Every structure is written in structure tokens, then in C-alpha cells.
Amino acid sequence: MNTTVTPAAAHPHGSEAVAIAAERRWAIVVGVIIALLVLMMVVTGLHWAAMPPSRVETVDVNTLHLKGEFVEDNLGTTLGPDGKVMVRLIAQQYSFVPQCIVVPAGMPVTFRATATDAIHGFVVGTTNANTMLIPGFVATFTTSFRRTGEHLMPCHEYCGTGHEAMWARVQVLPAPEFLARARGGERLDCVPR
Ligand SMILES: [Cu+2]
């Protein structure tokens, strides 16, 4: 005699219990995922972005190229008397000035940049140097580059038909080499002449 019965047949409500248990397990898994995502948002919000822009700095687009800090011969990298490294650059359809930027490795580097015509942006290779450039406003941030080498610096805000050809290069030099070149107080870049 065959006495084998399926669990469901043996217990008329067994399948319902299985379904409820599976539902409950799934609800717990989803709850944990939501809790992790919320925790991630809180941690990244507080820990990484706890410094919202403290001020809005404007610049007159019409006179940008004529006077002030963004005139052409003031663009590039400088080593200040206080030892601070400052990079000034502008973005325009469809290039950056300068086209090749020199920075030292392992030292804080402050970028000051703006756009002359449309909204642009840039990111330096896979580093966290990343900002949006809006005409009329000065974008500034300080970062440091861990390794020496060369990075591509593409425009990452769609700015028109030439957008995909808009990029510059960033050369990260060993700090002693950078300091030796910057001591003269000149503005540095690596644009071939
Ligand atoms: Cu652009």
C-alpha cells in the first residue's frame, strides 16, 4: 500500500504556512536592504558632503577675459608665497584653458574655475576632482592627487555639438619636481609650444 502523501495533502493548511514564512523572510530581506540604503544615505550625506557650499562667488562673464583673475595669462598653476598650489582654468565651447594642467602629487591643490558661455564641468581621471562650471559663478575646491601620472580631464556636462571633443590633460608630477619648476613664481602648464 502506498502511504506516501505530500505535505500539503497531509496538512491542508501547510502550504499557506510555507507561503507566510516565505513572505515574512522576504519582508525581512527587503527591510534590511531599505535600512542599509537609508544608512548609506545618512552616512554619505553627513560624512562626505557635510560641507555645503558656504558662499556663492560670482564673476562677470562679459569682462572675464579682460580683467580679473581669469585673464588668459593668469590661468594655469601657481605656487603661492604661502606654499599653496592654485590652479585657475576656464571652460568654453569646446575647450579648457589651459589644455594641459600641471599639479604636484601628495600636496593640497585648490582649483578655481568658471565657464564663459554654457554650463560645462570636468572630472580628473578617476580622482575625486570633479565639479560643474556655470557661467557667472566661480567653482572652487581643494583636493590632492595621490599618484603621479597623466589623467584625462573631459567635460562631463553636455555643452553642445562639440562636447565629446572637449577635454584637457592633467599631469601629476612628483612634488620635488613640481616645486623646482614652480619656484620661479611663473604660471605652469604643460601645453606644448
Ligand atoms: Cu563642455
Side-chain angles (χ1 to χ4, degrees), residues 36-51:
L36 271 176
L37 290 175
V38 169
L39 188 72
M40 207 163 79
M41 280 162 60
V42 170
V43 169
T44 55
L46 293 180
H47 185 57
W48 291 350
M51 293 170 290

Side-chain angles (χ1 to χ4, degrees), residues 153-178:
M153 190 185 104
C155 176
H156 65 31
E157 294 285 341
Y158 181 76
C159 54
T161 50
H163 169 69
E164 74 279 1
M166 180 171 172
W167 49 272
R169 285 180 299 136
V170 176
Q171 277 182 7
V172 185
L173 300 179
E177 189 183 332
F178 173 86

Side-chain angles (χ1 to χ4, degrees), residues 91-96 117-122 133 154-160 162-167:
Q92 60 201 5
Q93 286 168 319
Y94 296 99
S95 62
F96 292 98
D117 40 29
I119 293 178
H120 300 278
F122 67 83
L133 304 172
C155 176
H156 65 31
E157 294 285 341
Y158 181 76
C159 54
H163 169 69
E164 74 279 1
M166 180 171 172
W167 49 272

